[in-house]
Amino acid sequence: MERRAVVSVTVVCPTEHLKRQWAESAARVGIKLDPEWQNSSGPVGKDFHGVAVTYATVAARPALHRNRTETRKTLVIFDEVHHAGDGLSWGDAVREAFEPAARRLSLSGTPFRTDINPIPFVEYEEGSDGIRRSRADYTYGYGPALADGVVRPVIFLAYAGEMRWRTRAGDEITATLGEPLTQDQTAQAWRAALDPKGDWIKQVIAAADRRLTELRRAIPDAGGLVIATDHETARAYAKMLRAVTGQGATIVLSDDPGASKKIKQFSETEDRWMVAVRMVSEGVDIPRLAVGVYATSTSTPLFFAQAIGRFVRARKRGETASVFLPSVPTLMGHAAELEEERDHVLDRPVREDGLDDDLIAEANKKQDTPDVGEELPFETVEASATFDRVLYDGGEFGMHATPGSAEEEEYLGIPGLLEPDQVSALLRKRQAEQLAGVRKNKTGDPRADRADRTAAEDIAALRRELNGLVNAWNHRTGQPQGVIHNELRRSCGGPPVAQASAEEIRARIAKIREWAARRRG
């Protein structure tokens, strides 16, 4: 703008709330955008350098926006550009409106969509497999951003637990979340865990609040967000938070006309908690959010990435974020994939199982309010939580512990200001201390805290850590886990994991961490 290469700015974003957020951010650097401008508003006021509009506004009158773009040299910024592929009509409208722009900047901070509608102004290249994939001019992923101190390290605290529910036929079923279950059992145990009538979610919310208290020692205004599945449970979770904290929680519902105002007010206060139903997703910027409770059954990779994105925005080096979630395979896999880059794929092959990604995504969507008269498939009888493990940087730490125990507190009390490598070192140290304590209790051996002991507990813990890293590498690269284990054996030598010594397993752990560091670099 100073060089007069452009004289006007148009920002296109997914929601009304983001229009105002863009205008506020632009104003801080001297660029005045009108977030209230509509297609019927006429010329933009002389006091403004441009406008912030939604994709829907552009799609309604693309010719109007093309005329605005042609008459003034315009920079167009597409925020979350994958929304321009929400339908062929939207894509055509965006292309028509902004093809004459002097400059275009397309941004996306979340994994690209799974359908095959081309995204306007995004380039695609055909790979060796004949499939066309998007090509970004510049990518800046979680790994480099973490190294630069732009984002916080995320500590995932997974909770398992015993669930008991009654089926429609009156049968009672018991299952343990965090153990191998069928797909249906996992779904029902997960739902029982999130049920406000059980103790699981109460215990996890209480643990998350204790973690928030610890973070607020270093980050005084740190806030927490509970992501709920529907309106009814959101209100129930808010009541739990009041019982735990003695303070009310801000409730943001997806059909609330005052949602944007509530989000803005929360972002500017030091209130502890917000409870939201899908409203707080991509692009909503509340930098003080540092603790999350993933209390929703929505499990698509895109939604998970958007949700976790609410907690990673650092304001100063050393801030950490903590996300509490149920110990279910789908979410554990998403957590392991946090640093994975994704591209938009065209011409994708039809899945052999006949299921399309879009159908799966649709099936994962939950209604905000259950249909009147809808019969629940089961009734929760009992649900209790158990601290399962911590996931961080591809590794798994900790052992099963009851809520409120000293073992759980060891992880809830991790300081709020730590560099990423300090987080890793502290987690390894605390796990080693726990294992030493277990051995000492069992054997009475005063040498139990020696780091080089090769007791069965050491071997089990090392195997678990290695398997966690292999699982993360599988999600990051797509290589089968068996292939990864074989490659580690070829690189490091030694027998299969089941027969490997502690030193041999440690060598493989070091090797896979080396691979991960090289990939991030």
Side-chain angles (χ1 to χ4, degrees), residues 6 21 43 89 137 277 308 316 333 338 368 370 464 472 490 509:
V6 298
Q21 190 171 294
S89 60
D137 295 295
V277 179
I308 302 308
K316 62 180 179 180
L338 186 61
D368 287 345
R464 185 177 180 184
R490 278 195 294 271
I509 289 171

Side-chain angles (χ1 to χ4, degrees), residues 323-337:
V323 177
F324 291 70
L325 70 174
S327 187
V328 294
T330 303
L331 299 184
M332 297 298 98
H334 293 341
E337 290 174 346

Side-chain angles (χ1 to χ4, degrees), residues 8 67 97 130 198 241 245 262 354 379 388 445-446 453 468 484 499 502:
S8 179
N67 181 61
L241 283 164
T245 67
K262 287 183 178 179
E379 178 186 1
D388 185 13
D445 187 345
R453 279 185 65 89
I484 299 169
Q499 289 84 45

Side-chain angles (χ1 to χ4, degrees), residues 152 212 215 219 222-224 287-292 310-311 320-323:
R152 302 172 177 136
L212 180 60
L215 288 182
I219 313 171
R288 71 185 190 88
L289 284 179
V291 175
R310 299 320 98 216
F311 306 100
T320 61
S322 304
V323 177

Side-chain angles (χ1 to χ4, degrees), residues 1 31 92 102 106 113 115 141 159 168 225 291 320 325 342 348 374 394 422 457 510 516:
M1 294 182 74
I31 300 173
D92 291 343
S106 298
R113 51 191 307 108
D115 66 26
Y159 279 71
R168 198 177 306 178
L225 169 66
V291 175
T320 61
L325 70 174
R342 288 175 178 240
R348 73 173 185 274
E374 180 187 23
Q422 293 175 319
E457 290 89 357

